[in-house]
Amino acid sequence: MAAAGERLLGAAGGFGRGRRRLAAAWGAAALGLGLAVAAGLLLGATPPHRCRPDPALLPPALRNASGALLLNASRPPGSPCLLYRYPPAGGAPQPPPQPNGTVPCTQGWHYALPDAGLRTTLVTQWDLVCSKRWLVPLEQTTHLLGWILGFLGFGAASDRFGRRVAFIWPLMLSVPLGAGVALAVNYVMLALLRLLFGAVLAGAFLSLYVARLELCDPPHRLIVTMGGSFCWVCGELLLPGLAVACREWRILQGAVTVGLAMQALCWGCPSLFPESARWLLATHQLEKSQRILRSLAESNGVRLEEDFYTPEHLFAGEEPEGLSEELPQPQFHSSCEIFCTRVIWKNCVILGFTAFIGSGIRHCFVRNLTSYPPPFYFPYFLVTGGEAVALLFLCLTVDHFGRRPVLLLSTILLGVSSLLLLALTPPYLMSWLVLTLSLVGILTSEAVAALSIFLASEVLPTVIRGAGLGLILAASTVGSAATPIMDLHNSHSFFLHHVVFASFAILSALSIMLLPETSGRPLPDSMREGESQRRPPLFRPRRGRKDHVPLLSSRSGDGVYDSASYAQLITATKKMLGAHRDCDSQLRMKLLPDPRHPNSTAGEMQ
């Protein structure tokens, strides 16, 4: 069925003008999603802050002080959460008073604004610093939990209701949820709305990713998918400029929501976001697949005969049902069927593990960039630029060398850079070398995560591609949650976290050898084809040990299944059976006795 799907889409114009326009438009849709996701980093940014001086805690001689004298007398050096406490003044003259302890801030905090272009953030809105500092990583973790739920839920929905439904509905729901985040009146309301907002963004991203992949033929799958990822990075790069223009976090969230509303209006048009023809064919939806194939053929400037849209031709690869006169019924598969498979489940576990490592270990490298000024812009642009470079590296190497070798190389470089940072402590490692290894780690971690997701989308069959890819993206999001979780614990056990992920990176390099190679191959559509996605042999067989028995010959030119010839054979067979049935009925009529003359046949009466 996989070859049949590629044949049908190729006959409908291939990757022609119409499909190229759709691929470009769907890639641009990722720009708004990337901007919406990156906005969460600015909303929770914590600016430099310090306690406001409290004159009631100062001795009478210092209560009228100002400037540096007031700051030095009211707070300990380098402590943003404490104030000095002085003993009560006595009646007799005393030497200059000295503090006898510290107390938490009593008059609020003074923030160094604007921070990263914003004059207000969630932190300044509800004073989420010092004793409430843990609420910031808690909100970020809750948002990522929403992404996990969205990947799992909308992934299964895309396999049941289609890619278009699973993309349009989350995009429409993101508009009221985004507006609710901008209008949140307290922290609890904000955290709940951010959880739901992350869930619908995850559903839109997953459905868009799958639909864009299924639109392409094998030579264009990589470039189109990476092109959509480049648009995502462009959305992240636009965020600082938009933040400078908005200045307030509520206005920034409102601007992001307006962009999502415009996308919902645009992609709501069926001609701009049609249903995936590959998914319709794989689930045996005849009428819808005929309509979408006609639309694709017309947009590509191809006119096809009516015989092309017959069930015998569209479902020629289905051998048991091919000779049946009944129309095929829609067949949907549950995400639970993944756990009942062997090869599909193995591929999901390996790729989910590598995606988890690529996303989780990135925090270990980004942490080394926080000491470079400016505190927000330098690590942000460096990480975002590293994503663009990693995507460019994948575009230049994956189609030429294959998916498995590039993923293996990236994983090995990731593990080596992590081990070097662990083994060579700062006294033995110069700052420029730490920066270089951190950059290599960021590049390779992004390459491992992106390539794992892309390879997973190619090995999973069409009937469960949404649910399977949702599982792998959920595993990747669990790795991304390592950043706020470490901040939640104030970076305690950071060394152990780095050691565990570096060890996992080395371990995953061994499991990558068990993956299949999908370069240049058609996408699998059925569960049977997904189970056939096995790894190639590690070593080429020797020439002298080939089996030359004709019936068991494995040469590439023998035994190739030609679905077009099979479809023609089915049509001719049905015509022959229909003609034979007509002749047989006429002969039977001649041999039947005439009711008016019981002792004679129809032929004798004539």
Side-chain angles (χ1 to χ4, degrees), residues 1-10 19 213-214 216-221 278 403 454-462 465 516-526 528-534 560-561 563:
M1 185 71 181
E6 296 293 346
R7 173 183 59 83
L8 294 173
L9 292 174
R19 292 170 71 182
L213 179 87
E214 293 178 348
C216 305
D217 55 353
H220 297 92
R221 280 203 304 260
R278 190 185 301 273
R403 276 62 163 160
F454 176 68
L455 181 56
S457 64
E458 289 188 319
V459 299
L460 289 169
T462 301
R465 182 168 291 124
E517 180 57 57
T518 59
S519 180
R521 297 182 179 180
L523 293 176
D525 289 330
S526 63
R528 180 183 301 176
E529 293 167 358
E531 283 292 281
S532 66
Q533 298 287 317
R534 302 178 182 273
V560 178
Y561 173 72
S563 56

Side-chain angles (χ1 to χ4, degrees), residues 146-170:
W147 276 79
I148 295 173
L149 297 178
F151 283 137
L152 297 178
F154 286 104
S158 68
D159 291 333
R160 179 61 181 83
F161 303 104
R163 318 308 190 200
R164 172 178 167 79
V165 174
F167 173 73
I168 298 299
W169 276 102

Side-chain angles (χ1 to χ4, degrees), residues 42 45 114-118 240 243-244 376-377:
L42 277 181
D115 182 63
L118 293 178
V244 172
F376 175 80
Y377 289 108

Side-chain angles (χ1 to χ4, degrees), residues 228-548:
S229 300
F230 273 117
C231 292
W232 179 282
V233 173
C234 290
E236 294 177 339
L237 292 175
L238 291 176
L239 176 65
L242 183 62
V244 172
C246 295
R247 308 293 288 175
E248 303 285 339
W249 76 269
R250 294 186 186 272
I251 299 178
L252 175 62
Q253 179 63 30
V256 170
T257 305
V258 170
L260 294 175
M262 294 177 62
Q263 287 199 30
L265 292 175
C266 178
W267 304 121
C269 180
S271 60
L272 292 178
F273 199 98
E275 186 55 83
S276 170
R278 190 185 301 273
W279 175 76
L280 293 173
L281 291 170
T283 53
H284 297 170
Q285 301 184 58
L286 178 61
E287 295 182 359
K288 293 181 180 180
S289 59
Q290 289 173 338
R291 185 170 63 252
I292 296 299
L293 286 174
R294 287 180 192 273
S295 176
L296 289 176
E298 292 174 0
S299 64
N300 289 328
V302 177
R303 298 188 63 180
L304 299 172
E305 298 179 356
E306 289 300 321
D307 292 342
F308 179 83
Y309 303 104
T310 58
E312 294 82 2
H313 187 267
L314 294 181
F315 303 107
E318 299 292 330
E319 297 181 7
E321 293 82 8
L323 295 173
S324 175
E325 295 185 359
E326 298 181 357
L327 295 179
Q329 298 298 319
Q331 298 178 4
F332 302 101
H333 294 262
S334 171
S335 57
C336 297
E337 295 184 28
I338 299 177
F339 305 102
C340 301
T341 60
R342 186 175 180 181
V343 177
I344 296 176
W345 175 240
K346 178 204 69 175
N347 294 335
C348 284
V349 170
I350 295 175
L351 292 171
F353 184 56
T354 55
F356 167 76
I357 294 169
S359 300
I361 203 172
R362 195 175 308 158
H363 172 68
C364 304
F365 304 110
V366 176
R367 188 171 180 267
N368 297 325
L369 308 178
T370 55
S371 59
Y372 293 90
F376 175 80
Y377 289 108
F378 182 79
Y380 181 82
F381 282 112
L382 205 59
V383 171
T384 308
E387 293 179 6
V389 174
L391 295 174
L392 180 61
F393 166 74
L394 295 179
C395 290
L396 297 177
T397 57
V398 169
D399 271 344
H400 184 70
F401 298 102
R403 276 62 163 160
R404 286 201 317 166
V406 176
L407 182 59
L408 180 61
L409 175 64
S410 302
T411 307
I412 292 175
L413 292 177
L414 177 63
V416 170
S417 58
S418 301
L419 293 177
L420 287 177
L421 284 176
L422 286 172
L424 303 177
T425 54
Y428 305 99
L429 204 60
M430 293 173 285
S431 59
W432 65 267
L433 191 53
V434 172
L435 180 61
T436 302
L437 290 175
S438 299
L439 289 177
V440 173
I442 292 173
L443 293 177
T444 52
S445 63
E446 177 61 29
V448 167
L451 188 53
S452 298
I453 296 170
F454 176 68
L455 181 56
S457 64
E458 289 188 319
V459 299
L460 289 169
T462 301
V463 292
I464 56 167
R465 182 168 291 124
L469 192 59
L471 288 172
I472 293 169
L473 286 170
S476 177
T477 308
V478 171
S480 300
T483 300
I485 289 175
M486 292 300 298
D487 293 338
L488 192 64
H489 293 279
N490 200 17
S491 296
H492 292 311
S493 303
F494 171 77
F495 182 80
L496 179 61
H497 169 266
H498 198 168
V499 170
V500 170
F501 272 91
S503 304
F504 282 169
I506 301 300
L507 179 63
S508 65
L510 302 176
S511 62
I512 290 173
M513 302 303 298
L514 302 176
L515 294 173
E517 180 57 57
T518 59
S519 180
R521 297 182 179 180
L523 293 176
D525 289 330
S526 63
M527 298 294 289
R528 180 183 301 176
E529 293 167 358
E531 283 292 281
S532 66
Q533 298 287 317
R534 302 178 182 273
R535 66 170 179 85
L538 297 179
F539 305 99
R540 293 183 179 180
R542 298 178 182 177
R543 295 182 179 179
R545 300 187 62 180
K546 285 186 177 180
D547 191 352
H548 295 287

